[in-house]
């Protein structure tokens, strides 16, 4: 039976058609590298949300939307004679082959590991860090933190900075030190609040959040995913309260704090 599914070549052709100056789509023709960045971020978060909700039926659609962003950038690159989709794929494969010498020992896609087995995780990690150092040097980056993107969500970037520093022995030996630091930061924030120093409040609250992220890393919890889950839980419980108030003919603005707290306790019992 013939496979009538579209292939990557069809997607590349579709993109060229959308960007055709004479017969393309007016919206697509107006776009640039910069203007589609917000859409790329949106698609990334939709993929994450779909996975976290375990909505795997729709995951292929969201991954397709994310892939389209790569195709769009590649078309823009081709039009400006910078690079094309083939260059993107070739660069990616070459980088991954080079980063996995324990799988591709000769540095080619065809090479295979011998019978001596896979190196242990510590050796693989050391090789990975050495390769990353080489890549940073090639890019003219000198700090081990230089290649951590500024555009990452704040929690994710904080965790990545801390993890990178920890890989070079700049870390507490266990979570007890982080708990002590957390208490220290809470004390400093309270002092700033008592003094009414807004600049210090901003700084100390940032330090407290940064330390909370460090604690999440020590507890092997992804800070960004954990906060998203907490936000979803709050949203579900808040919506439960809204539904109960509608059912009883009440409005939130007219409710006492005791009444809202009573509904919140119910929401915690009734919702995940």
């Amino acid at each position: 039976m013939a496979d009538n599914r579209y292939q990557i070549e069809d997607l590349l052709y579709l993109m060229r058609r959308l960007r055709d100056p004479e017969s393309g789509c007016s919206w697509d023709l107006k776009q640039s590298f910069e203007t589609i960045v917000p859409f790329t971020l949106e698609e990334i978060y939709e993929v994450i949300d779909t996975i976290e909700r375990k909505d795997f039926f729709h995951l292929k659609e969201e991954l397709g939307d994310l892939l389209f962003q790569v195709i769009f950038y590649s078309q823009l690159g081709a039009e400006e004679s910078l690079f094309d989709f083939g260059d993107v794929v070739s660069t990616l494969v070459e980088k991954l082959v080079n980063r996995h010498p324990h799988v591709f020992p000769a540095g080619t896609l065809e090479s295979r590991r011998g019978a001596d087995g896979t190196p242990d995780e510590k050796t693989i990690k050391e090789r990975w860090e050495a390769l990353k150092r080489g890549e940073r040097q090639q890019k003219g980056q000198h700090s081990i933190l230089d290649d951590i993107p500024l555009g990452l969500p704040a929690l994710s970037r904080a965790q990545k900075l801390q993890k990178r520093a920890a890989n070079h022995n700049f870390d507490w030996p266990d979570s007890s030190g982080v708990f002590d630091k957390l208490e220290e930061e809470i004390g400093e924030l309270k002092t700033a609040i008592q003094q009414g120093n807004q600049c210090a409040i901003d700084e100390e609250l940032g330090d407290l959040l940064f330390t909370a992220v460090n604690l999440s890393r020590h507890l092997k919890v992804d800070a960004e995913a954990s906060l998203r889950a907490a936000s979803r839980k709050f949203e579900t419980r808040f919506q439960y309260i809204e539904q109960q108030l509608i059912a009883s003919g009440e409005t939130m603005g007219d409710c006492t704090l005791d009444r809202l707290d009573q509904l919140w306790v119910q929401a915690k019992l009734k919702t995940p």
Side-chain angles (χ1 to χ4, degrees), residues 2 9 18 56 76 175 190 193 200 208:
E9 292 78 11
L18 291 176
F56 298 115
L76 293 173
S175 62
K190 286 180 177 178
I193 293 170
L208 177 60

Side-chain angles (χ1 to χ4, degrees), residues 13-30:
Y13 171 71
L14 179 148
M15 187 72 251
R16 291 194 296 271
R17 287 283 303 276
L18 291 176
R19 290 280 298 180
D20 187 291
E22 296 181 2
S23 59
C25 169
S26 58
W27 185 90
D28 291 279
L29 285 166
K30 288 191 295 187

